[in-house]
Amino acid sequence: MTALVVAMDGPSGSGKSSASRGVARALGLRYLDTGAMYRAITWWVLREGIDLTDPGMIAARAEEPVLQVGTDPVAPTIGVDGVDVAGPIRSAEVTAAVSAVSAVPEVRRRLVAEQREIIGAGDIVVEGRDIGTVVAPDAQLKVYLVASAHARATRRAAEVAGSTLEAQRADMARRDHLDSTRVTDPLAMASDAVELDTTALNLDEVIAEILRLIKERT
Ligand SMILES: Nc1ncnc2c1ncn2[C@@H]1O[C@H](COP(=O)(O)OP(=O)(O)OP(=O)(O)O)[C@@H](O)[C@H]1O
Ligand SMILES: Nc1ccn([C@H]2C[C@H](O)[C@@H](COP(=O)(O)O)O2)c(=O)n1
């Protein structure tokens, strides 16, 4: 049987990470969080003091940081030049800057190549924004997760200590806009993806539906 690749795309807070990890764990597959890779490069750009408003400078140095990416769905890891950045990449500072860095074509070219190398022989669930359209267009199953803006902001506000619903809603609207209007690889649903609205579903129900879709395809 062909090695399985499942592509999971969708906007911020739609549940991609939680559902992808759950599916990978259930089936003994690997898991790749491509958003963590864009966040890791962003962490490095900020640490280097590179001007975020200068895409040319970000592009010129895009190949410099070396990423270490772990694909165990139980304990995914991410490092930059040997530094564990799993915590820092979730900071408000990185979240505010990541759309600008991920819009730089040289950053995307570099990371898409690395992502394809990690996907390699398959048996992996890959989540992000452009997986079904650009990174793995031949994936056996492509799922596009959506949820209402209210549900997404409520979930995030519950997760981030000290945050409010309104702040989360504003941040997601800003990132959705930047992620879907960038010139290279914008957030878009692949024509052969299955759209799954998670607004009224709990996480177990989402995972069960994706497992059902995988069974149907394989
Ligand atoms: N179906 C669901 N029902 C309720 N809560 C959920 C559901 N799916 C995910 N969550 C919760 O919503 C939050 C966001 O989920 P998750 O991080 O998986 O989204 P995401 O799409 O990967 O977001 P991002 O793109 O910003 O990384 C988490 O706190 C998660 O536990
Ligand atoms: N394949 C991807 C994955 C992520 N991004 C960008 C867009 C997001 O704002 C940012 C962080 O992703 P998250 O951790 O919130 O999933 O990275 C992208 O452009 N392409």
Side-chain angles (χ1 to χ4, degrees), residues 24-35:
R25 286 167 70 159
L27 297 179
L29 303 174
R30 296 180 296 142
Y31 159 71
L32 178 61
D33 178 356
T34 62

Side-chain angles (χ1 to χ4, degrees), residues 12-18 129 155-156 159 201-203:
S12 168
S14 56
K16 300 180 298 296
S17 304
S18 321
R129 303 293 191 285
R155 292 170 184 173
R156 267 281 180 259
E159 184 188 51
L201 303 178
N202 67 35
L203 186 54

Side-chain angles (χ1 to χ4, degrees), residues 21-22 24 31 38 53 55 68 82 105 111 119 134 162 167-168 197 209:
R21 289 178 68 178
Y31 159 71
Y38 285 95
T53 65
Q68 294 80 43
L111 288 186
I119 292 167
V134 176
Q168 287 302 326
D197 188 341
E209 176 58 11

Side-chain angles (χ1 to χ4, degrees), residues 34-35 38-39 90 98 102 108 128-130 175 179 182:
T34 62
Y38 285 95
R39 287 173 178 271
R90 305 292 163 191
V98 67
S102 60
R108 301 199 73 79
R129 303 293 191 285
D130 57 346
R175 277 210 291 150
D179 294 342
R182 63 172 172 249

Side-chain angles (χ1 to χ4, degrees), residues 121-218:
D123 285 342
I124 191 164
V125 183
V126 188
E127 60 124 327
R129 303 293 191 285
D130 57 346
I131 310 305
T133 50
V134 176
V135 177
D138 296 330
Q140 285 91 334
L141 176 65
K142 301 176 186 179
V143 178
Y144 194 87
L145 287 187
V146 294
S148 72
H150 181 75
R152 293 193 288 137
T154 305
R155 292 170 184 173
R156 267 281 180 259
E159 184 188 51
V160 181
S163 162
T164 64
L165 185 60
E166 263 326 299
Q168 287 302 326
R169 197 197 281 269
D171 177 64
M172 283 179 171
R174 183 187 65 82
R175 277 210 291 150
D176 285 353
H177 175 71
L178 291 170
D179 294 342
S180 55
T181 54
R182 63 172 172 249
V183 175
T184 321
D185 309 344
L187 172 64
M189 185 168 111
S191 56
D192 53 349
V194 177
E195 183 175 295
L196 180 55
D197 188 341
T198 73
T199 306
L201 303 178
N202 67 35
L203 186 54
D204 287 343
E205 291 170 327
V206 175
I207 293 169
E209 176 58 11
I210 297 166
L211 291 173
R212 191 191 66 74
L213 289 166
I214 292 173
K215 204 169 169 196
E216 200 176 80
R217 302 282 168 109
T218 53

Side-chain angles (χ1 to χ4, degrees), residues 73-142:
V74 178
T77 55
I78 181 91
V80 182
D81 297 337
V83 179
D84 175 2
V85 295
I89 63 167
R90 305 292 163 191
S91 68
E93 199 189 7
V94 169
T95 300
V98 67
S99 291
V101 174
S102 60
V104 176
E106 287 78 2
V107 171
R108 301 199 73 79
R109 262 200 292 280
R110 178 219 150 139
L111 288 186
V112 168
E114 271 176 64
Q115 288 154 14
R116 287 181 177 153
E117 208 160 288
I118 293 168
I119 292 167
D123 285 342
I124 191 164
V125 183
V126 188
E127 60 124 327
R129 303 293 191 285
D130 57 346
I131 310 305
T133 50
V134 176
V135 177
D138 296 330
Q140 285 91 334
L141 176 65
K142 301 176 186 179

Side-chain angles (χ1 to χ4, degrees), residues 45-95:
V45 164
L46 292 171
R47 195 196 63 175
E48 292 295 301
I50 298 169
D51 182 358
L52 285 175
T53 65
D54 185 351
M57 184 53 72
I58 298 173
R61 300 192 59 190
E63 295 290 337
E64 278 185 44
V66 178
L67 302 191
Q68 294 80 43
V69 184
T71 57
D72 179 351
V74 178
T77 55
I78 181 91
V80 182
D81 297 337
V83 179
D84 175 2
V85 295
I89 63 167
R90 305 292 163 191
S91 68
E93 199 189 7
V94 169
T95 300

